[in-house]
Amino acid sequence: MSERFILWLASAGYTGCFPYATGTVGTLVGIAVYLLFSLFPPPVYLLCTAATFFLALWASGRAEIIWRQRDSPKIVLDEIVGYLITMAFLPRTLTTVVGGFLFFRAFDIIKPYPIGWIDRKMKGGLAVVLDDTVAGIYVNFFLQAIHRWHPPLLFLLDRWICGAG
């Protein structure tokens, strides 16, 4: 497969080449992908997310070799996978989309255990994708808990995101 296609894929259409905040830009692309995938029933959403995960493993590993850089900031397909996992089985609302974005970015930046360990110790495409996958799982559990067991907190989050109208 051509190197150009691999780099295009790993960088989400070269959005990873944006000069600033590439992880944030990649996650914004993830929102668009989520909005598309969320039109499908949950089993199809999961299948599409799994396919994106395995595609990201392959493309990220190859892109690291081509760019000769471990976990290059230009690789943002992993952010898309992490965001898709963040949003799995959550209602498609402005609050969850924005809340998922904000919390996913926070977890991806702060890197609580084992995310930071994965980022520091592992290598290759698996490491590139796995840290964002774990961040997505953490945030998904967090948002699921808020949604199911603490609706008043969800209401406050909704008021904060959507404004006091």
Side-chain angles (χ1 to χ4, degrees):
M1 194 155 294
S2 84
E3 288 184 354
R4 176 178 270 161
F5 177 72
I6 291 166
L7 298 179
W8 177 85
L9 191 59
S11 67
Y14 296 116
T15 59
C17 297
F18 193 76
Y20 307 104
T22 58
T24 300
V25 173
T27 307
L28 289 171
V29 174
I31 291 174
V33 174
Y34 161 73
L35 292 173
L36 174 66
F37 285 6
S38 69
L39 297 173
F40 303 123
V44 177
Y45 180 92
L46 287 179
L47 183 62
C48 291
T49 300
T52 306
F53 172 84
F54 288 109
L55 184 64
L57 286 178
W58 175 79
S60 298
R62 296 287 311 221
E64 278 190 322
I65 293 166
I66 295 166
W67 273 318
R68 295 183 180 106
Q69 184 178 14
R70 181 184 175 277
D71 199 2
S72 171
K74 295 175 187 173
I75 301 171
V76 296
L77 189 54
D78 56 327
E79 265 77 30
I80 295 169
V81 169
Y83 187 75
L84 291 172
I85 292 168
T86 293
M87 299 305 294
F89 304 113
L90 287 166
R92 183 180 166 176
T93 67
L94 180 61
T95 300
T96 55
V97 168
V98 174
F101 172 81
L102 294 173
F103 286 114
F104 174 73
R105 290 307 306 140
F107 273 66
D108 191 31
I109 292 166
I110 296 168
K111 299 189 184 311
Y113 184 82
I115 300 166
W117 182 88
I118 293 166
D119 188 54
R120 287 186 312 276
K121 300 292 184 184
M122 295 181 70
K123 294 182 179 160
L126 180 61
V128 172
V129 180
L130 193 58
D131 69 324
D132 292 286
T133 297
V134 174
I137 291 168
Y138 276 0
V139 177
N140 183 278
F141 284 168
F142 175 71
L143 292 176
Q144 293 286 354
I146 289 174
H147 181 70
R148 290 199 169 107
W149 296 305
H150 209 307
L153 189 56
L154 187 63
F155 174 77
L156 292 174
L157 186 61
D158 184 55
R159 299 283 294 194
W160 179 66
I161 290 171
C162 297

